[in-house]
Amino acid sequence: MEQIKSKLQSKNSVDGVDEMLKQGEDLVKQMGLEARGMDDAVVKRDLLSKVKEYKAQLANLRSEYELATLTKIDNDNYNTSSSIVDARSTIRSQNETLLNARSAIAETEGVAMGITEDLSRQRETMNSAHGRVNEVSNMAEKGDGILRGMLRRNKFWQGKLW
């Protein structure tokens, strides 16, 4: 009995106690049968009272064991629950990070679209300016041709007149 009690008090050995309690119950039953089989009434009564005490002690040990088991289960459940809470908070944190990243991406896309539109407008302006420069260049070349022709005629007429 003392072995079982010391086992119950030890937190680390809760698992092996159930088997020992079953063995103790079997021993108490066997002692009860032997006590009932005694012929002497006084000895029989003493032995049956001891068996009754042992049964009570065993019942107390059984209830302590069940309490310890429930406490262990509660601790395990608490640890599991704590782990779940920690995992959920980690997931929430990761979700917030992902949402922040998505909003940053959306903002970056908006800025990129604005820059693309500005570049497109600038390209159109540059193409238009390039076209005007080509027109002016062509007109300057025509004007140059006209001026050369005029100079040639002027030299021709000057040469004839002198």
Side-chain angles (χ1 to χ4, degrees):
M1 287 293 178
E2 290 302 316
Q3 271 186 335
I4 295 173
K5 194 169 190 173
S6 69
K7 284 277 189 178
L8 276 175
Q9 291 173 350
S10 170
K11 287 183 179 180
N12 296 332
S13 59
V14 172
D15 298 332
V17 173
D18 188 45
E19 192 63 37
M20 293 182 81
L21 284 172
K22 288 178 184 176
Q23 289 176 2
E25 288 169 354
D26 290 343
L27 285 173
V28 169
K29 283 180 188 177
Q30 198 173 19
M31 287 176 9
L33 288 175
E34 288 179 15
R36 285 187 196 96
M38 295 303 257
D39 293 331
D40 188 7
V42 174
V43 173
K44 184 177 184 179
R45 188 176 27 140
D46 287 342
L47 289 177
L48 285 176
S49 70
K50 283 187 179 185
V51 168
K52 191 175 182 179
E53 285 177 32
Y54 291 149
K55 278 185 180 181
Q57 285 180 354
L58 214 68
N60 286 338
L61 290 174
R62 173 65 72 184
S63 65
E64 286 179 26
Y65 167 73
E66 289 172 356
L67 179 64
T69 303
L70 289 176
T71 304
K72 181 180 178 192
I73 289 171
D74 287 345
N75 284 339
D76 289 346
N77 287 342
Y78 174 76
N79 290 338
T80 302
S81 176
S82 174
S83 296
I84 290 171
V85 168
D86 290 345
R88 284 183 179 168
S89 89
T90 302
I91 289 171
R92 281 190 190 111
S93 172
Q94 289 174 350
N95 283 342
E96 288 176 18
T97 303
L98 287 173
L99 290 174
N100 290 339
R102 284 182 180 170
S103 67
I105 288 171
E107 183 179 334
T108 304
E109 277 182 355
V111 170
M113 292 301 290
I115 291 172
T116 302
E117 289 172 5
D118 286 345
L119 288 173
S120 177
R121 275 188 246 116
Q122 289 174 1
R123 172 180 276 151
E124 288 174 17
T125 303
M126 289 176 68
N127 285 338
S128 174
H130 182 67
R132 278 187 253 130
V133 166
N134 282 338
E135 286 176 17
V136 169
S137 178
N138 287 338
M139 287 198 287
E141 285 177 10
K142 284 181 184 178
D144 186 45
I146 291 172
L147 284 175
R148 281 189 191 159
M150 289 171 73
L151 275 174
R152 266 187 265 133
R153 279 188 221 133
N154 188 17
K155 285 183 186 178
F156 175 72
W157 287 107
Q158 280 180 358
K160 281 195 165 196
L161 292 176
W162 290 313

